[in-house]
Amino acid sequence: MLNQQLISPLITALQPGQTVEQALLQMEDQEVAHLPLVKNGKLEALIAEADLLDASSNNTLESLFQYSPIIAVAAEQHFLTAVASLVGRQLTVVPVVTGQYEYIGCITAQQLLQYLAQMIGANSGGALLVVEMEPHQFSISELSKLIETNDAHITQLNTAVHPETGMLLVTIRINKNEVSDIVATLQRYDYHLVFYSGEEHYENELRQNYQHLMNFLTM
């Protein structure tokens, strides 16, 4: 997915002749804390609500932000560049440009979050496992093989490096909910599972047996 494919039709740019008061009202209406300032079709700045609150309400935007930094992502870049910009600068919108800062629209934080959730399968069914390992130990083929020996398949896999330990965290979504056999297999091959969720058949069976015993004792 490219940045230009996620542009929101609901975000309108600010114009240089608008006042601080008008800009604040526009941000309130569009439920964002940032808006692009556009002049003659080109991005001039990304205006933050926090900066407007410190200015006189009658001042025009052009008089206040002539030398503001331009924050934007290229239209043809992957949408993860917009995610990085949004997170790194704590933005609510990310302007999208082509060529020499020719403005074509904005991506909202909500849009990026929704597409990220879709990309990582956050709303998909199936069990979830998180495995921690040294980066050089990572092998997609080996993980797939071990999981497939338990009649399951990987439907989503994402990796991230822990910022403090440097260990690789591998998040795996599988196509079934029962995870006991898979957990046991991974642990048998010395994989360190830091988290898993799903139906644990053995634990559920033990719980049922315990409940049957308690029912028998109360008869």
Side-chain angles (χ1 to χ4, degrees), residues 41-44 70-72 96-104:
K42 291 194 174 184
L43 180 66
E44 295 289 320
I70 300 177
I71 301 170
V96 181
V97 297
T98 62
Q100 297 299 312
Y101 290 100
E102 296 171 2
Y103 176 77
I104 62 171

Side-chain angles (χ1 to χ4, degrees), residues 3 71-78 81-83 85 94-98 107:
N3 289 325
I71 301 170
V73 293
E76 297 294 333
Q77 288 181 321
H78 193 271
T81 61
V83 173
S85 182
V94 181
V96 181
V97 297
T98 62
I107 306 172

Side-chain angles (χ1 to χ4, degrees), residues 39-65:
K39 182 179 180 180
N40 298 326
K42 291 194 174 184
L43 180 66
E44 295 289 320
L46 183 62
I47 309 299
E49 180 184 43
D51 294 330
L52 294 176
L53 293 173
D54 294 330
S56 173
S57 61
N58 293 323
N59 283 342
T60 63
L61 299 180
E62 188 171 37
S63 65
L64 292 174
F65 299 101

Side-chain angles (χ1 to χ4, degrees), residues 200 202-212:
E200 298 173 66
Y202 300 140
E203 181 182 337
N204 292 341
E205 184 177 336
L206 181 62
R207 188 181 297 114
Q208 291 172 2
N209 291 340
Y210 173 78
Q211 188 61 51
H212 290 325

Side-chain angles (χ1 to χ4, degrees), residues 5-137:
Q5 296 173 285
L6 287 175
I7 289 175
S8 171
L10 303 178
I11 301 298
T12 55
L14 298 169
Q15 301 300 315
Q18 287 183 265
T19 65
V20 168
E21 182 179 13
Q22 290 172 330
L24 286 170
L25 287 173
Q26 188 169 325
M27 287 183 182
E28 183 179 354
D29 288 342
Q30 298 182 24
E31 299 181 341
V32 294
H34 303 82
L35 279 176
L37 177 64
V38 175
K39 182 179 180 180
N40 298 326
K42 291 194 174 184
L43 180 66
E44 295 289 320
L46 183 62
I47 309 299
E49 180 184 43
D51 294 330
L52 294 176
L53 293 173
D54 294 330
S56 173
S57 61
N58 293 323
N59 283 342
T60 63
L61 299 180
E62 188 171 37
S63 65
L64 292 174
F65 299 101
Q66 292 181 348
Y67 305 104
S68 297
I70 300 177
I71 301 170
V73 293
E76 297 294 333
Q77 288 181 321
H78 193 271
F79 88 99
L80 286 179
T81 61
V83 173
S85 182
L86 183 138
V87 173
R89 299 174 181 270
Q90 298 183 329
L91 305 177
T92 52
V93 301
V94 181
V96 181
V97 297
T98 62
Q100 297 299 312
Y101 290 100
E102 296 171 2
Y103 176 77
I104 62 171
C106 272
I107 306 172
T108 66
Q110 182 64 25
Q111 285 174 290
L112 289 174
L113 183 61
Q114 288 176 344
Y115 193 74
L116 268 176
Q118 180 182 336
M119 189 182 78
I120 65 174
N123 299 319
S124 303
L128 192 68
L129 305 99
V130 181
V131 185
E132 183 183 60
M133 66 185 72
E134 295 284 353
H136 69 270
Q137 296 176 318

